[in-house]
Amino acid sequence: MKPIAVLALLATGVAIAQPPPRDTLVSPEIQSDKRVTFRVRAPNAHRVTLFGAWMPIGSEEPMTKDTEGVWSVTVGPLAPNGYLYTFNIDGVTVADPINPDVKLRQRTSASLLEVPASPAAPWDVADVPHGSVEVNWLKSRVIGDTRQVFVYLPPGYDKQKSRYPVLYLFHGSGDVAASWTQAGKANLILDSLIAAKKAVPMIVVMPLGHAVPFGSAPEIQAKNLPLFEEYLLKEILPWAESKYRVAPGRRNRAIAGLSMGGGESSNIGFAHLDLFSAIGVFSSSGGADFANRHKAVISDAKAVNAKLSLFWLAMGKQDAGYARGKQFADLLEQNGIRHDWVETEGGHVWAVWRWCLAQFAPMLFHT
Amino acid sequence: MKPIAVLALLATGVAIAQPPPRDTLVSPEIQSDKRVTFRVRAPNAHRVTLFGAWMPIGSEEPMTKDTEGVWSVTVGPLAPNGYLYTFNIDGVTVADPINPDVKLRQRTSASLLEVPASPAAPWDVADVPHGSVEVNWLKSRVIGDTRQVFVYLPPGYDKQKSRYPVLYLFHGSGDVAASWTQAGKANLILDSLIAAKKAVPMIVVMPLGHAVPFGSAPEIQAKNLPLFEEYLLKEILPWAESKYRVAPGRRNRAIAGLSMGGGESSNIGFAHLDLFSAIGVFSSSGGADFANRHKAVISDAKAVNAKLSLFWLAMGKQDAGYARGKQFADLLEQNGIRHDWVETEGGHVWAVWRWCLAQFAPMLFHT
């Protein structure tokens, strides 16, 4: 027991517990020129490297050790946005031990670096009215557990009696229900767009996109899409429409997602054009089975085009899934199905997905 | 670039990104007898240890390496509850790299271990109606930034027109605004108590308790309490009472906190007996200055006792701040101020604070 090490006496005399011993190390440190220095104290380590979401997958930045055992590296300048990063210390990949901004994931930790823009980007905390994010714990009979559903409510939701259109927004495979708000800043993006009158006030419903356990064997994982579809349509939609002041009808419903969530949004959206009028697919595709699965719908492009006011596909040029995404757009093109195919700089990363949402949301619910 | 390593093709044909390479390691693994095995893959490490919140501060559990470079240790059986833990790998303290349940903190990472109880403890996810947690982003003129305020709304809040009493609940020094729900499970505790009719339905408002930056020099840190008091009374209370359906008056307001937050609740509560009718102090005290600061109030025990329906102090017997907390209770005793002093097994840990809330909440708002 070392009580002295864990109790500090404030000047006010209030005893508080603190992690012993205090360390004044700073990481990450963002310079004014947007270069960023990462530091980790590991005096016994032989090799320490950095990997960040702005780097090509499989690459690494070697870090160098100073006389006090602190390893560091300076990178950039980086484009203002949010980036996941990890350290590898003698073969163990870890989050930055002193950065409080930890990206919550299905498995393995990473840290979040936020490089703010000037003027503020849509995902920065700006001086605009802020909506709120309501976290619900919902028992699912379809899936058999109690799980979180995150719901963005626009500024003034509690003050006004209006009904709002709804975007159903799905995360990627490594993510959790918190990801679109924690890493994606979906709420801040909507706050900014609504304040600038670029997007109409809307509700955003963000369920957990895993209907089978993450990391399941392929034969189990194959059940994720149909089970998630059932969960979404039988439980989430009716619940959201009964709990929140939701504007009725398909014109007021959009569906979008990133990576795995883009596979969910394209497939569920296409199977239920009676329910959704806009689809967003970020860094994803409909999957290799899409043409088969939706044969009848695809063959009647005229009916699809009459129903979908927006079918928006976006892909980072450096995304490992680029070719697959482009193939999907080609399939739509060949069948005369109206869509947008947008390419942007970047890989399979949150910087791209924040940008996607900031582009996609303003196009919704104008009819 | 190693695209093969990061793209897995689902049986459904939907391409998803995954952390390369997949690792089937499990940590933590909870045995049926409540013993727990921790594992970390660190083939190049020379010494790996575990520290967990069930252990005395300053102690460690050495871990042993198998032929595949996986270090492990089995501990317990542990009493069902939630515990922070960290690994130390060759001198670097890190969260468990593969446990997704990361405890968000002001600085430094830790992981959370949840040992479920049977039958369910109040903090376990039980089959009861669940309230929600609304995360608000509020601009503070007092503090000069935009910060989160977490608000628990009891089950049925959106369905009923009732007004609800409010508990203002504060976290500890190392914590963030999410801590009382993420690590403390305050919402699940209230859900369970309300379902069992042990507590009345209430709103719980959980602001960020740091009004000056965490880790500030002592002369800055000394300003935290008065600044937080101003923030709470000028901004949080009026905002909460205007946004939520709050029952009016001091009989419907309680204030409580853990560690640093207990210093805040005791001092702010005592200075504003006109605003609060119940005070909870978990693993804390009023601070060495309390008698001086509240001289006039303390000298009139009769008036205090007439106003406070509950003044509840709880302390873990193994808490490094035990003596300070007991001194505070003695000060109250000597001055004839009615209070409860409750001792429990445990240190300065979330297992104790969950228990505290589960004891405290049922005593509130019966008048």
Side-chain angles (χ1 to χ4, degrees), chain B residues 55-68:
Chain B
M55 293 159 56
I57 287 167
S59 65
E60 59 183 22
E61 287 278 358
M63 300 173 76
T64 54
K65 185 162 80 162
D66 71 12
T67 53
E68 302 206 332

Side-chain angles (χ1 to χ4, degrees), chain A residues 7 10 12-13 15 17 22-23 25 44 90 97 100 105 107-108 127 132-135 137 139 187 215 287-288 324 348, chain B residues 13 15 17 22-23 25 44 90 97 100 105 107-108 127 132-135 137 139 187 215 221 287-288 293 324 348:
Chain A
L7 273 185
L10 293 187
T12 58
R22 296 305 290 279
D23 190 330
L25 201 66
N44 305 319
D90 285 341
R105 305 206 286 196
R107 185 178 167 94
T108 75
D127 191 7
S132 63
V133 175
E134 188 168 35
V135 189
W137 277 253
K139 188 180 179 185
N187 56 311
R324 221 180 307 271
H348 206 71
Chain B
R22 296 302 293 278
D23 189 331
L25 202 65
N44 305 318
D90 285 340
R105 305 204 288 194
R107 187 178 166 93
T108 76
D127 191 5
S132 63
V133 175
E134 189 169 34
V135 190
W137 278 253
K139 188 180 179 184
N187 55 311
Q221 193 62 43
R293 201 181 297 124
R324 220 180 309 270
H348 206 72

Side-chain angles (χ1 to χ4, degrees), chain B residues 16-301:
Chain B
I16 56 166
Q18 295 181 327
R22 296 302 293 278
D23 189 331
T24 54
L25 202 65
V26 175
S27 181
E29 183 179 11
I30 303 166
Q31 266 79 260
S32 55
D33 64 356
K34 310 294 182 194
R35 292 191 314 147
V36 182
T37 301
F38 299 85
R39 298 184 182 91
V40 59
R41 190 183 302 278
N44 305 318
H46 298 288
R47 185 158 190 277
V48 180
T49 59
L50 164 76
F51 174 73
W54 60 90
M55 293 159 56
I57 287 167
S59 65
E60 59 183 22
E61 287 278 358
M63 300 173 76
T64 54
K65 185 162 80 162
D66 71 12
T67 53
E68 302 206 332
V70 173
W71 298 75
S72 67
V73 65
T74 298
V75 304
L78 298 179
N81 212 317
Y83 302 94
L84 270 67
Y85 71 95
T86 52
F87 296 136
N88 187 294
I89 306 178
D90 285 340
V92 184
T93 298
V94 295
D96 184 337
I98 63 166
N99 179 356
D101 204 355
V102 177
K103 164 69 168 72
L104 301 176
R105 305 204 288 194
Q106 285 288 337
R107 187 178 166 93
T108 76
S109 311
S111 295
L112 267 170
L113 163 71
E114 287 292 332
V115 182
S118 178
W123 41 82
D124 291 330
V125 176
D127 191 5
V128 298
H130 292 290
S132 63
V133 175
E134 189 169 34
V135 190
N136 298 273
W137 278 253
L138 269 198
K139 188 180 179 184
S140 167
R141 267 169 299 158
V142 168
I143 298 172
D145 63 7
T146 295
R147 42 183 52 215
Q148 292 180 333
V149 187
F150 281 60
V151 178
Y152 168 78
L153 301 172
Y157 177 84
D158 53 305
K159 293 275 192 304
Q160 287 151 34
K161 296 283 169 235
S162 326
R163 294 189 162 267
Y164 296 86
V166 183
L167 167 62
Y168 292 86
L169 185 62
F170 312 140
H171 60 68
S173 175
D175 292 326
V176 295
S179 292
W180 258 115
T181 49
Q182 201 219 1
K185 311 291 180 195
N187 55 311
L188 299 178
I189 292 171
L190 267 296
D191 289 344
S192 300
L193 296 174
I194 292 167
K197 298 195 185 304
K198 289 182 180 167
V200 302
M202 67 184 78
I203 293 170
V204 185
V205 175
M206 296 160 280
L208 179 62
H210 289 280
V212 302
F214 175 80
S216 295
E219 65 272 20
I220 303 290
Q221 193 62 43
K223 296 177 186 165
N224 192 62
L225 179 56
L227 204 59
F228 178 74
E229 179 171 336
E230 189 182 347
Y231 169 59
L232 181 76
L233 301 183
K234 283 198 186 161
E235 299 190 327
I236 295 296
L237 252 81
W239 166 81
E241 305 211 342
S242 102
K243 170 157 187 176
Y244 299 101
R245 288 198 313 280
V246 164
R250 58 182 299 284
R251 287 278 152 215
N252 291 306
R253 272 187 225 111
I255 190 168
L258 73 90
S259 195
M260 178 183 82
E264 291 168 346
S265 66
S266 56
N267 279 284
I268 299 173
F270 235 62
H272 301 279
L273 294 169
D274 54 321
L275 292 177
F276 303 98
S277 58
I279 301 174
V281 182
F282 311 160
S283 307
S284 188
S285 73
D289 255 10
F290 193 88
N292 259 332
R293 201 181 297 124
H294 304 284
K295 210 171 213 167
V297 183
I298 289 179
S299 67
D300 190 358

Side-chain angles (χ1 to χ4, degrees), chain A residues 178-359:
Chain A
S179 293
W180 258 115
T181 49
Q182 202 220 0
K185 311 292 181 195
N187 56 311
L188 299 178
I189 291 172
L190 267 296
D191 290 343
S192 300
L193 297 173
I194 293 168
K197 299 197 184 302
K198 288 182 180 167
V200 302
M202 67 184 77
I203 292 170
V204 185
V205 175
M206 295 160 280
L208 179 62
H210 290 279
V212 302
F214 174 80
S216 294
E219 65 272 19
I220 304 291
Q221 193 63 43
K223 297 179 185 163
N224 192 63
L225 179 56
L227 203 58
F228 178 73
E229 179 171 335
E230 188 182 348
Y231 170 59
L232 182 75
L233 301 183
K234 283 200 186 159
E235 299 188 327
I236 295 295
L237 253 81
W239 166 80
E241 305 212 341
S242 102
K243 172 159 186 177
Y244 299 102
R245 288 199 312 282
V246 165
R250 57 183 299 284
R251 288 278 152 214
N252 291 306
R253 271 187 226 111
I255 190 168
L258 73 90
S259 195
M260 178 183 82
E264 292 168 344
S265 66
S266 55
N267 279 285
I268 299 173
F270 235 62
H272 301 280
L273 294 169
D274 54 320
L275 292 178
F276 303 99
S277 59
I279 301 174
V281 183
F282 310 160
S283 308
S284 189
S285 73
D289 256 9
F290 194 87
N292 259 331
R293 203 180 296 127
H294 304 286
K295 212 170 210 165
V297 183
I298 289 178
S299 66
D300 190 359
K302 201 174 159 187
V304 176
N305 293 342
K307 287 211 157 175
L308 278 188
S309 63
L310 181 66
F311 192 1
W312 194 81
L313 320 177
M315 180 65 78
K317 292 180 196 170
Q318 290 78 41
D319 195 309
Y322 175 90
R324 221 180 307 271
K326 187 74 177 69
Q327 270 178 354
F328 183 53
D330 291 345
L331 170 75
L332 301 174
E333 187 68 28
Q334 286 150 17
N335 287 277
I337 293 169
R338 199 176 51 230
H339 65 281
D340 296 305
W341 166 257
V342 181
E343 299 186 357
T344 184
E345 293 302 319
H348 206 71
V349 296
W350 278 102
V352 167
W353 303 322
R354 291 178 179 189
W355 178 89
C356 285
L357 182 59
Q359 302 302 308

